[in-house]
Amino acid sequence: MNILDKIVIDKRKEVNLRKSLIPVSQLEQSILFERNTISLAQNLRHSTSGIIAEHKRRSPSKSVINHNLNVQDVASGYETAGVCGMSVLTDGKYFGGSLDDLILARASSNVPLLRKEFIIDTYQILEAKAYGADVILLIAAILTREEIKQFSEFAKRLNLDVLLEVHNEEELHKSIMPSLDMLGVNNRNLKTFEVSLETSKQLSQLIPDEFVKVSESGISSVEAIKELQPFGYKGFLIGENFMKTDNPGESAKQFIKSLL
């Protein structure tokens, strides 16, 4: 059993518990449920940097990244830096995140927010909307084609953008459908945790042009982005590179400046 399998088993228990505590009707009555969302896909299409900066305290592969920052400072710092969007990890057990992080980021910034989560139930998509997200992540490795279709169409009805993440050609082929906005290629091998930009390069030609191409994991330098741009990538998800510093917003600002 790999780490993703373990996370999904725990996630099913967690979601069942949350559903028993907070009914759907309560989520739908949230003040943020009615807000107009901001499209990350559109932002990326018109951006010269394409940076999606992440708030991440820890991860299974790196343990602690940074536990000393508050999410409001990170969010406002990223916005000032000029990022296209912000990814907020809301998984508690493995990444030290929470839905509170999402709502605090929303209160502190006006950039598109991606709820970075292991989505296995439409309930989590309603949560994303209720807590101020603009985008959801769907991970092809843990979903069937039918689930990808169901969840992405449900998200579109809530005016949320959908980023679908793949790790290989097989996942990509089962995932392509009109209800997606962005296709993300994760450069990390989930079995070995090794990272290679070659994954993004190899899969780029198989992604139809109507989807915004996003490269994820292992992007820590301006050179890496310049290497991937000729392959049609418009979005670059950067997590640990900014979060491991004392001031992620300032790090993102300098990074974007050197990129442009």
Side-chain angles (χ1 to χ4, degrees), residues 216-258:
E216 310 169 25
S217 290
I219 299 167
S220 57
S221 67
V222 168
E223 290 72 37
I225 289 177
K226 291 199 181 296
E227 206 179 309
L228 289 170
Q229 282 172 332
F231 290 86
Y233 285 92
K234 296 289 288 177
F236 306 93
L237 185 69
I238 300 181
E240 290 159 21
N241 200 48
F242 302 146
M243 281 300 293
K244 66 188 178 190
T245 67
D246 293 331
N247 188 334
E250 184 59 31
S251 303
K253 184 179 175 184
Q254 296 308 322
F255 189 94
I256 291 170
K257 194 186 282 185
S258 56

Side-chain angles (χ1 to χ4, degrees), residues 3 28-29 31 47 64 73 97 135 159 161 182-183:
I3 186 68
E28 290 174 338
Q29 284 160 15
I31 291 170
S47 168
V64 173
D73 291 345
V135 194
N159 291 319
D161 270 10
M182 296 161 280
L183 271 160

Side-chain angles (χ1 to χ4, degrees), residues 22-255:
I22 301 174
V24 164
S25 58
Q26 192 173 324
L27 293 174
E28 290 174 338
Q29 284 160 15
S30 150
I31 291 170
L32 291 172
F33 205 83
E34 297 304 321
R35 69 175 273 274
N36 293 326
T37 51
I38 315 160
S39 173
L40 175 61
Q42 290 301 334
N43 269 17
L44 293 175
R45 275 197 181 94
H46 301 117
S47 168
T48 44
S49 76
I51 302 299
I52 307 162
E54 194 152 79
H55 179 267
K56 175 160 66 171
R57 292 187 181 87
R58 56 185 164 89
S59 73
S61 61
K62 285 280 170 69
S63 62
V64 173
I65 298 163
N66 197 329
H67 277 182
N68 302 320
L69 302 167
N70 76 61
V71 70
Q72 298 102 309
D73 291 345
V74 176
S76 58
Y78 281 159
E79 183 171 32
T80 303
V83 302
C84 287
M86 178 176 173
S87 165
V88 182
L89 272 137
T90 59
D91 174 78
K93 182 170 182 179
Y94 295 91
F95 291 88
S98 73
L99 276 164
D100 286 344
D101 290 336
L102 190 58
I103 212 162
L104 289 169
R106 177 78 292 144
S108 316
S109 71
N110 203 35
V111 296
L113 295 181
L114 163 70
R115 182 185 186 189
K116 187 94 173 281
E117 183 54 271
F118 301 87
I119 289 180
I120 42 100
D121 194 298
T122 51
Y123 182 83
Q124 294 162 286
I125 303 172
L126 289 168
E127 282 182 326
K129 178 76 169 171
Y131 280 79
D134 302 280
V135 194
I136 60 156
L137 173 74
L138 297 178
I139 301 171
I142 62 173
L143 301 171
T144 63
R145 180 172 175 82
E146 289 68 33
E147 286 171 327
I148 293 167
K149 185 173 189 294
Q150 179 197 353
F151 296 161
S152 57
E153 289 177 353
F154 186 77
K156 296 312 294 175
R157 288 199 293 275
L158 295 174
N159 291 319
L160 295 168
D161 270 10
V162 180
L163 169 62
L164 189 284
E165 174 181 298
V166 299
H167 297 86
N168 55 45
E169 192 173 330
E170 183 189 356
E171 289 175 8
L172 179 61
H173 285 312
K174 83 168 181 185
S175 305
I176 291 175
M177 57 188 73
S179 43
L180 308 175
D181 301 284
M182 296 161 280
L183 271 160
V185 177
N186 193 326
N187 300 304
R188 190 185 305 280
N189 182 314
L190 290 172
K191 295 185 174 69
T192 64
F193 280 116
E194 287 171 4
V195 173
S196 170
L197 296 184
E198 292 306 310
T199 310
S200 279
K201 292 177 186 175
Q202 286 162 9
L203 293 183
S204 66
Q205 61 204 21
L206 303 174
I207 300 174
D209 289 339
E210 64 258 37
F211 303 108
V212 177
K213 296 181 194 178
V214 178
S215 187
E216 310 169 25
S217 290
I219 299 167
S220 57
S221 67
V222 168
E223 290 72 37
I225 289 177
K226 291 199 181 296
E227 206 179 309
L228 289 170
Q229 282 172 332
F231 290 86
Y233 285 92
K234 296 289 288 177
F236 306 93
L237 185 69
I238 300 181
E240 290 159 21
N241 200 48
F242 302 146
M243 281 300 293
K244 66 188 178 190
T245 67
D246 293 331
N247 188 334
E250 184 59 31
S251 303
K253 184 179 175 184
Q254 296 308 322
F255 189 94

